[in-house]
Amino acid sequence: MIFGGSRIKGGGLVLLVLLLAGVAHAAGSPPALTLPDLFARLAARSHMRARFVETKTLAVLKTPLRLEGTLEFRRPAYLAKHVEQPAPEDYIIDGGSVTVNKPAEGQKIELALADYPALEAFAESLRAPLAGDLAGLSRYWRPSLGGSRKHWLLALAPIRPELVAVVRGVRLEGEDDRLLRMEIEEAGGDHASLRFEPLP
Amino acid sequence: MRAKAPLLLWLLWLALCAWWLLFRTAITTDLTFFLPRDAGFLGAVLVQQMREGPASRVLMIALENADEAALAATSRQLAESLASDPRFDRVDNGAVGAGLATLERRLFGYRYVLDPEPGPEPFTAAALRAALQARLAELASPTGMLQKAWLTRDPTGVWQRLLKGWLVPQGPVSRHGVWFARDGRRALLLARTQASGFDIAAQAEALERVRERFQTLRTDPAMRLALGGPGPLSVESNRRITHDAAVLSVLNSGLVMLLLFGVYRSLRVLGLGLVPLLTGVVSGAAATRWAFGEVHGITLGFGATLVGVAADYPNHFFTHLSPREAPARAMARIWPTLRLGLLTNVAGFAAMLFSGFAGLAQLAVFAGGGLLAAGLATRWVLPVLAGKGTVRLPAWVERGAGFPWPGFPRWRWLPLGLTLLLAAVFMLGRAPLWNDDIAALNPVPAERQVLDEALRRDFGVPDLRKLVLATGPDAEAALSLSEAVAADLEALKRDHALGGYELAARFLPSRAAQAGRLAALPPGPELAANLRVALRGLPFKPDVFQPFLDEVEAARQQAPLSRADLADTPFAAQVDSLLLPLEDRWVALIPLSGIADDAAIANKLAPWRERGVYYLDLREESTRRVRDYRREAIALLAGSLAAIVLLLGLGLRSLPLAMRVLAPVLGAGLCTGLAMAVLFHGLTLYHLVSLLLVMGLSLDQALFFNRDAADPEERRRTLLSLWVCGLSSVLAFGTLALSDINILRSIGSTVALGALLAIAFAAWLAQPRPVPR
């Protein structure tokens, strides 16, 4: 039993090594996805529209918040989040300014991104990948890439101290040149998750 | 040696005065110095506001001619650089990020005493529930993370509301995080200088600093800087006046020199001609320094102008020189006339000594002392320096001077006729006799004022013309009175009679108001119970708002907010400029802006007056000051006229003769005054000072015209001296009239016309009679 077991074990090890080699070989044959590669592919799209469903799990709340709407991006620097549920609200980032429009309250506010470094960092975590702007992203985040060309995963860790105090990390998931998911892990344990469904 | 004694004495005197003036005298440039010394409480407010008030220290900085991002970047760097400069006590470009942390650290704990509009019953279950629902909506938004930091401590959103009230600017719009003009072409920064806007030297230094920082920091070499506000305007106008005065002085000195050289043909004589003038200016300045401890820049300018009468003295002397006699003898001959003219002039200025305006009194000392010294130098120094046979007049001058005055004596009626004609023109025209608007004294050219107004519009800066003053025996009383008035102002704002107002109590509420607001905070158990009810059915976890309950309880126990707690927030300077001690009282200033219905405001505030609240129109108040100033100047002028008549009567030993001397003087003064009133649409203080000079010049000439001549040659020489004096005055001041700066143009045209009329009137009205020897 002991030998047999050991044989099986040894065989398993060999098999594992072979398998791993095979995987490594298989992954090596089409070249691995690199950041510049991914960003170049993302940059090729001039615009993007998607429906989103956002779930926010907050420490102060018993139940998560759920939001629905559409997200729109246009090169070079236009990003709009149109919330439809629970109440209609628009957040439009264009260049360096943010416009917040809350028709229900009759409110329209224009802010400067530069005045709110945290807000700017979050805006860039989404906008820079969509724009294929690796340099812009790297101003706030240290990106690391995983997964395959078909299904990639981009993890962002905050660089700036004031940001570290607020957020642990952001994860973006996509297929080819499409963004499918975004996860935000805040420092206090709060958590937001967005799913995107591309629109034509 | 005995003959040279006056010369030595004179040199010693000049050296002494020069040393004293150069090394021991401050030239002040503070324009408020010319305001009355004792003008009551409202006057003190006016002076204080002009001198130190927030309006006087506002510096508007605009960056233009580059793309938005570059302008914004430079704006940020410039603001940061200037904020650390001690010459500025506030620099604001709309970027809220930086100051936010300081505000939060200093004032978050005081949010309940600072909140002016908690709304009715903000801590009932219903109100709490509405607030919590609003917070929930914020949490859902992508900007929610900004507000989340305060959520559990401040669920009623007091801090956010305070920030919004403090930080939302009215005029400029925010682009790239900094202020821009609405058309997006200019990035805007608002600074407040440490120095008063009228302290020209300090302002010039602050402006130089801004320019220098801008040159280093700008990212685009095409970018331009525009500066506005009282400081840049005073510096600019000072620079332009100095420039124009310098250029025109060179021009007019050149012309006068040319004229004098044509007459005397000797550079030595030209040089000698400067002796009395120079002595007069130096001695006048020294006398002012002695009497007042300082010399004001304006006194120096106007005083030197008035001492200009002394420029005529050497001409009287030189034209009476003859190769056949010693210069001292010629001087002895004309001295009695010269002396009388000199003394009457000095007596005229003496009346101004009694002025309640420090500026006029200084001017009197300067001009009176200066003329006296100039006269003495003419009498004792000039003959010694002249030597024998200095002046040999060319033949054509002698011949020309031999002709009788044109139209004499057939045109005796002309002075009266001209006076009546001008009076008629003045009456028919709509021009007022006096222009007391302080703007008319403003030497800033119109196109510069246009830029300033454009910037003012971009910034939405209130013009700070209208102020409400709440006064009390101490700071607390003034503060709480201002809070009470603010309730009425708030009502006026709702009725759109008023756009807005500033209030020190917004940043530092009175102790009473603070206590009142704290009293509205419910005790811990009650608040906790209300919160429990409010939370029912909402997704918040039950205990997350414990920090809120704790902080409200802490606020209830807290010591009141004081001025010291505002230290290093931008509000410290705001409070200090809006709440200040004045004389034996404290004043809370409430500057109003966007006034739509002045009558409604005045009506609403009228009943407050008996409680020590005043509604003040700075523009109207300053106009009243100028009018008082002018009235006093006229009263003093009447006094000096009486002194002159008395002196002339005594000196000439004949009242009719004195009247004959005075007739052309008064006629010329009256005609010039009327002509200027028509031309300039009312006389200003500049004209009045110039008329004084005209009177001085023409008095000398009239005295010489009425002087008996020993022989025809003497008569010819007298006529010649008057030609030379009159023409040089017209040339000297006629060039000043070319300036486009109102102060120089007013003085120049008044004196040039006055001098011309004075000599013509004196000639036409002259009746040579003996003068005492």
Side-chain angles (χ1 to χ4, degrees), chain B residues 133-169:
Chain B
Q133 272 166 333
R135 297 297 88 77
L136 198 58
E138 284 165 13
L139 280 180
S141 90
T143 56
M145 77 185 68
L146 299 173
Q147 291 131 344
K148 211 164 66 174
W150 303 313
L151 174 71
T152 58
R153 299 165 68 195
D154 182 29
T156 53
V158 173
W159 183 245
Q160 282 186 64
R161 191 164 62 235
L162 286 175
L163 283 183
K164 219 192 288 179
W166 289 335
L167 300 172
V168 170

Side-chain angles (χ1 to χ4, degrees), chain A residues 56 58-63 65 67 81 89 91 96 100 102 107 110-112 114-116 118-119 122 166 186 190, chain B residues 76 94-97 136-143 145-146 148 151-152 164 174 176-177 538-542 544:
Chain A
K56 279 189 165 182
L58 303 176
V60 295
L61 298 185
K62 289 183 283 196
T63 52
L65 289 169
L67 289 87
K81 186 177 181 184
E89 284 173 4
Y91 303 89
V100 181
K102 300 183 178 180
Q107 235 182 37
E110 202 189 313
L111 302 172
D115 286 335
Y116 305 94
L119 193 63
F122 277 100
V166 183
E186 292 183 30
D190 288 355
Chain B
R76 277 171 193 280
V96 294
L136 198 58
E138 284 165 13
L139 280 180
S141 90
T143 56
M145 77 185 68
L146 299 173
K148 211 164 66 174
L151 174 71
T152 58
K164 219 192 288 179
S174 188
H176 298 271
L538 292 181
F540 290 105
K541 287 181 187 159
V544 294

Side-chain angles (χ1 to χ4, degrees), chain B residues 40 192 241 272 372 374 473 579 709:
Chain B
R192 195 138 70 183
I241 291 175
L272 287 180
L372 221 49
L579 179 70

Side-chain angles (χ1 to χ4, degrees), chain B residues 333-359:
Chain B
R333 248 178 322 119
I334 61 164
W335 178 241
T337 310
L338 213 52
R339 182 181 53 198
L340 189 57
L342 171 67
L343 288 178
T344 35
N345 261 313
V346 173
F349 290 127
M352 292 201 315
L353 275 178
F354 304 104
S355 169
F357 298 89

Side-chain angles (χ1 to χ4, degrees), chain A residues 43-96:
Chain A
R45 294 185 65 144
S46 67
H47 78 284
M48 175 271 209
R49 274 185 79 225
R51 279 204 69 75
F52 74 88
V53 175
E54 179 174 6
T55 320
K56 279 189 165 182
T57 315
L58 303 176
V60 295
L61 298 185
K62 289 183 283 196
T63 52
L65 289 169
R66 195 183 134 94
L67 289 87
E68 270 181 57
T70 57
L71 187 81
E72 195 179 348
F73 169 78
R74 278 201 300 269
R75 286 177 64 85
Y78 175 92
L79 182 66
K81 186 177 181 184
H82 305 286
V83 181
E84 291 159 12
Q85 291 292 333
E89 284 173 4
D90 298 317
Y91 303 89
I92 298 161
I93 298 178
D94 197 359

Side-chain angles (χ1 to χ4, degrees), chain B residues 29 31 50 198 200 230-242 244 298 302 437-449 684 686 739-747:
Chain B
T29 45
L31 290 175
M50 280 186 72
F198 296 96
I200 291 169
L233 285 185
S234 350
V235 171
E236 173 108 340
S237 60
N238 191 45
R239 190 183 61 73
R240 294 181 78 129
I241 291 175
T242 319
D244 266 35
I298 295 178
F302 278 160
D437 189 345
I438 202 159
L441 299 178
N442 190 347
V444 182
E447 80 268 10
R448 187 63 185 72
Q449 285 183 31
T684 64
Y686 300 145
S739 170
D740 59 349
I741 290 164
N742 58 3
I743 175 167
L744 296 178
R745 200 175 54 229
S746 304
I747 295 177

Side-chain angles (χ1 to χ4, degrees), chain A residues 119-184:
Chain A
L119 193 63
E120 183 164 31
F122 277 100
E124 287 306 309
S125 73
L126 187 55
R127 186 164 67 167
L130 290 175
D133 178 9
L134 187 54
L137 185 76
S138 307
R139 278 194 292 148
Y140 298 98
W141 308 93
R142 184 163 14 85
S144 49
L145 187 62
S148 65
R149 183 176 293 268
K150 173 76 183 142
H151 191 113
W152 47 265
L153 193 149
L154 181 63
L156 305 176
I159 303 173
R160 305 196 173 185
E162 72 266 26
L163 215 56
V164 173
V166 183
V167 65
R168 250 181 232 152
V170 175
R171 296 191 329 149
L172 298 163
E173 274 179 62
E175 273 179 12
D176 295 324
D177 58 353
R178 287 171 310 160
L179 181 66
L180 294 180
R181 255 171 90 90
M182 181 179 191
E183 305 265 349
I184 303 166

